[in-house]
Amino acid sequence: MEYIKTSSPKSGVILIELNRPEKRNALNNATLQEIADCLQQFEADSSVKVVVITGNSQCFAAGADLNELSKLDVVSIQQDLRPQLWKRIDEFSKPLIMAINGYAFGAGFELALHGDIVLAGENAQFALPEIGLGMLPGAGGTQRLARLVGQQLTMRWAMTGEMISAQTALQHGITSQVCPVGLTVQYAVELAEKIAKQAPLAIRVIKQSLKSIHEVTLSQGLKLERQHFVWLAATQDRQEGINAFLEKRKPEFRGV
């Protein structure tokens, strides 16, 4: 792989590192293709429980690759594979954690918004700067951000391109934790390891249930949650969890 590196720092955890430092990890189609292909591979690998995506200490991803984008006219943009690549990333069913240091601008911010949990270094800065190029975010920036922070702040940030600090991101629920820069990835991997030890089927339906909240009404969401609850009653892991609790031991979940 040319634009990303993968490793397994803990059992059940995969770390994907964006690797275009000379381009500040700008997200061209080839990079998104590699991410989507990796996630598809990990989807089918039962040994992979959680995936963490990060950049480097100075930059997560500074946006889309403008050199690539500038060559596209209306017809080629309409036929571009990019929306399908974003869709494949969004459809990954296992927990996806983003560990962000430095710039997460434009498409980099939108990639962060695809994460189920986001950890940010103290130097993290988020922004939707597309307005300065006469554009709007094209990979869910307005839609996903508005569902997190509301219309008012999204309108302001998308219309001005203002930078959002790590602390402001924490305040408004864009990230769940602000970390020392040198420890962001470590904390994300430790969190991933903690999640990887839980019952995989329960983790999967928790993600499904939470991702549905902006698509369904409250009553529909409660019904879906209950369906998941009932379905898990048929799993061996649920019985193992109950037995382990009653026997005062750690459960051994097997994903069945």
Side-chain angles (χ1 to χ4, degrees):
M1 289 175 286
E2 185 177 359
Y3 297 132
I4 65 174
K5 297 187 295 184
T6 62
S7 59
S8 182
K10 297 287 184 180
S11 177
V13 178
I14 294 291
L15 177 65
I16 297 176
E17 298 175 81
L18 304 178
N19 188 36
R20 296 187 77 201
E22 74 286 355
K23 297 289 187 180
R24 296 197 302 170
N25 290 335
L27 295 170
N28 58 2
N29 279 14
T31 304
L32 291 174
Q33 179 85 56
E34 288 187 11
I35 295 171
D37 288 348
C38 271
L39 294 180
Q40 183 175 347
Q41 174 189 339
F42 300 144
E43 183 78 55
D45 187 344
S46 61
S47 71
V48 176
K49 310 298 184 184
V50 186
V51 173
V52 178
I53 297 181
T54 192
N56 56 53
S57 62
Q58 299 301 316
C59 184
F60 178 69
D65 189 322
L66 292 180
N67 289 326
E68 183 177 77
L69 190 62
S70 66
K71 299 173 184 176
L72 303 179
D73 58 17
V74 173
V75 174
S76 54
I77 288 177
Q78 184 67 34
Q79 297 173 340
D80 193 10
L81 288 175
R82 204 172 180 89
Q84 290 304 313
L85 298 175
W86 284 114
K87 185 172 185 288
R88 288 174 62 194
I89 294 169
D90 181 53
E91 290 176 346
F92 184 60
S93 71
K94 299 177 183 181
L96 188 59
I97 298 176
M98 301 293 174
I100 296 173
N101 287 317
Y103 302 129
F105 292 169
F109 192 2
E110 290 172 312
L111 178 59
L113 291 170
H114 279 71
D116 301 310
I117 303 174
V118 177
L119 276 68
E122 294 170 334
N123 69 340
Q125 292 183 303
F126 303 84
L128 296 175
E130 288 89 346
I131 188 63
L133 303 171
M135 301 188 298
L136 88 162
T142 61
Q143 298 302 301
R144 294 180 191 279
L145 187 58
R147 283 163 169 77
L148 272 179
V149 307
Q151 178 178 312
Q152 284 290 317
L153 283 173
T154 303
M155 198 77 77
R156 172 173 177 153
W157 289 334
M159 288 184 172
T160 64
E162 290 176 352
M163 287 193 286
I164 305 161
S165 69
Q167 286 298 333
T168 299
L170 178 64
Q171 179 184 351
H172 295 290
I174 297 169
T175 180
S176 67
Q177 182 178 356
V178 175
C179 317
V181 174
L183 297 176
T184 307
V185 175
Q186 178 183 325
Y187 286 0
V189 168
E190 289 173 354
L191 176 62
E193 183 184 28
K194 185 181 297 186
I195 294 171
K197 292 177 179 178
Q198 308 301 327
L201 297 177
I203 290 291
R204 183 169 300 207
V205 294
I206 286 171
K207 176 168 176 170
Q208 290 175 5
S209 185
L210 282 166
K211 285 192 72 171
S212 75
I213 62 174
H214 299 300
E215 306 289 338
V216 302
T217 64
L218 175 59
S219 61
Q220 290 169 329
L222 291 171
K223 183 178 180 181
L224 178 64
E225 181 184 76
R226 189 64 187 177
Q227 288 172 344
H228 288 321
F229 184 85
V230 171
W231 178 76
L232 287 172
T235 66
Q236 294 177 28
D237 277 351
R238 175 184 178 272
Q239 192 59 53
E240 165 63 12
I242 293 173
N243 290 344
F245 177 81
L246 294 175
E247 295 164 12
K248 296 180 172 55
R249 60 175 175 83
K250 290 185 178 181
E252 297 181 7
F253 296 122
R254 298 189 294 117
V256 293

